[in-house]
Amino acid sequence: MVGRRDLAPVSAAYRPANELNSAQRGMAMAYIISSAVDFRHNLKYEFEGGDRDKAIDSMFFPNGRPINGGGLTTCIRYSIPLPAELLDAVPQRIIVTPCKDGFVPDFGYSAKIDVYIVSDRFVDLIELLEPGMHQFIQIPDVIFKRQPSKASSFYLANIMPMLSAIDVERSKVEWHTLPGGGESFLIESLGPLKDAKITLKKSIIANHHLWKGSREHFSGYIFCSNVLREKMQSVGLSPLYFRECEEV
């Protein structure tokens, strides 16, 4: 694990407008991390090395169902700790092309390998709040095109808790069932964005700062606490785009 270090602030030009913390709003608040960075800025990650096609059979989904041929992406998608047998699948080098103005986020996304890429600065902060909770898999070598970042290393982020925390009765959601009587899972109800509302159960998310929705409760969505959001801002990590969720 990387050590602690001073975290330098980023330019105010990247800070989302109209930020108010939960205390100012007078309510408990958690957030959906809706976007790591505006991709119109042309951020690009490339990878070298690592056998990303490598897969093993001795793995299980969180519900206990066996996985046939699970690999690196499967582990990260379903919050399964990456086993030692799959370490060969981890890229050995990341080549980072910064956004057009040189900006590199501390929390970004690579569609190429379908994982979130986080900096050592982000890892340090999470380890202070939730030591040992998540799995951060370091990419050994980093190359920056154009100019270096404040970060010195990058990690694949395997965010471990998957929580079924949505209060269905207080949220603008509905159940969707796969054809043929398959699995059912929650989706957001269609309607104006201003009417969109997600409410989370405080009893389930208490003491968590970073988590993913379960397969039934917004699989693939990443959530964070107001504590994490405010600490990210206070230490100067690159900003994210947050969507508010009430807590009850």
Side-chain angles (χ1 to χ4, degrees), residues 96-122:
V96 182
T97 301
C99 301
K100 58 186 178 183
D101 45 12
F103 175 69
V104 177
D106 290 295
F107 187 103
Y109 174 73
S110 169
K112 189 169 187 176
I113 59 174
D114 191 24
V115 298
Y116 284 92
I117 307 295
V118 298
S119 72
D120 49 350
R121 291 153 43 93
F122 183 86

Side-chain angles (χ1 to χ4, degrees), residues 13-52:
Y14 287 103
R15 297 192 180 280
N18 302 319
E19 291 180 341
L20 292 175
N21 62 36
S22 57
Q24 290 172 308
R25 294 183 184 277
M27 63 182 70
M29 194 72 66
Y31 298 87
I32 295 171
I33 299 177
S34 59
S35 177
V37 68
D38 187 335
F39 289 99
R40 290 174 299 177
H41 287 297
N42 299 317
L43 174 72
K44 183 179 180 182
Y45 299 112
E46 298 174 86
F47 303 92
E48 294 180 352
D51 181 5
R52 290 193 290 279

Side-chain angles (χ1 to χ4, degrees), residues 4-237:
R4 294 178 60 183
R5 56 181 56 80
D6 293 330
L7 302 177
V10 296
S11 169
Y14 287 103
R15 297 192 180 280
N18 302 319
E19 291 180 341
L20 292 175
N21 62 36
S22 57
Q24 290 172 308
R25 294 183 184 277
M27 63 182 70
M29 194 72 66
Y31 298 87
I32 295 171
I33 299 177
S34 59
S35 177
V37 68
D38 187 335
F39 289 99
R40 290 174 299 177
H41 287 297
N42 299 317
L43 174 72
K44 183 179 180 182
Y45 299 112
E46 298 174 86
F47 303 92
E48 294 180 352
D51 181 5
R52 290 193 290 279
D53 293 327
K54 185 173 182 178
I56 59 176
D57 291 327
S58 55
M59 294 172 57
F60 298 86
F61 288 109
N63 63 6
R65 185 163 55 91
I67 300 172
N68 295 321
L72 172 66
T73 301
T74 303
C75 289
I76 292 178
R77 182 178 297 158
Y78 295 105
S79 298
I80 301 168
L82 187 74
E85 300 95 309
L86 286 177
L87 288 177
D88 290 344
V90 177
Q92 296 302 295
R93 174 178 293 157
I94 181 171
I95 303 169
V96 182
T97 301
C99 301
K100 58 186 178 183
D101 45 12
F103 175 69
V104 177
D106 290 295
F107 187 103
Y109 174 73
S110 169
K112 189 169 187 176
I113 59 174
D114 191 24
V115 298
Y116 284 92
I117 307 295
V118 298
S119 72
D120 49 350
R121 291 153 43 93
F122 183 86
V123 171
D124 281 355
L125 180 56
I126 296 298
E127 286 299 312
L128 288 175
L129 293 174
E130 297 183 314
M133 173 69 73
H134 310 277
Q135 187 180 36
F136 297 106
I137 306 152
Q138 186 170 6
I139 301 172
D141 190 24
V142 183
I143 294 177
F144 292 103
K145 290 189 175 179
R146 292 200 291 267
Q147 65 184 65
S149 161
K150 293 184 176 70
S152 59
S153 56
F154 289 89
Y155 296 73
L156 310 181
N158 194 359
I159 299 168
M160 301 308 296
M162 296 183 73
L163 305 179
S164 298
I166 295 176
D167 188 312
V168 178
E169 301 300 322
R170 294 181 172 89
S171 302
K172 294 287 187 180
V173 297
E174 58 189 64
W175 288 101
H176 175 77
T177 302
L178 294 176
E183 291 182 278
S184 295
F185 51 91
L186 289 172
I187 61 173
E188 295 192 67
S189 300
L190 297 177
L193 183 60
K194 66 181 179 61
D195 295 332
K197 179 182 179 183
I198 302 299
T199 301
L200 304 176
K201 296 179 180 179
K202 189 182 301 185
S203 60
I204 294 177
I205 66 174
N207 301 318
H208 289 282
H209 295 291
L210 183 67
W211 69 94
K212 290 163 65 175
S214 69
R215 185 169 177 81
E216 297 80 16
H217 284 221
F218 281 26
S219 174
Y221 282 52
I222 296 179
F223 298 80
C224 74
S225 68
N226 65 301
V227 173
L228 174 57
R229 177 179 181 267
E230 290 167 9
K231 284 190 175 295
M232 288 180 66
Q233 294 169 349
S234 69
V235 301
L237 289 190

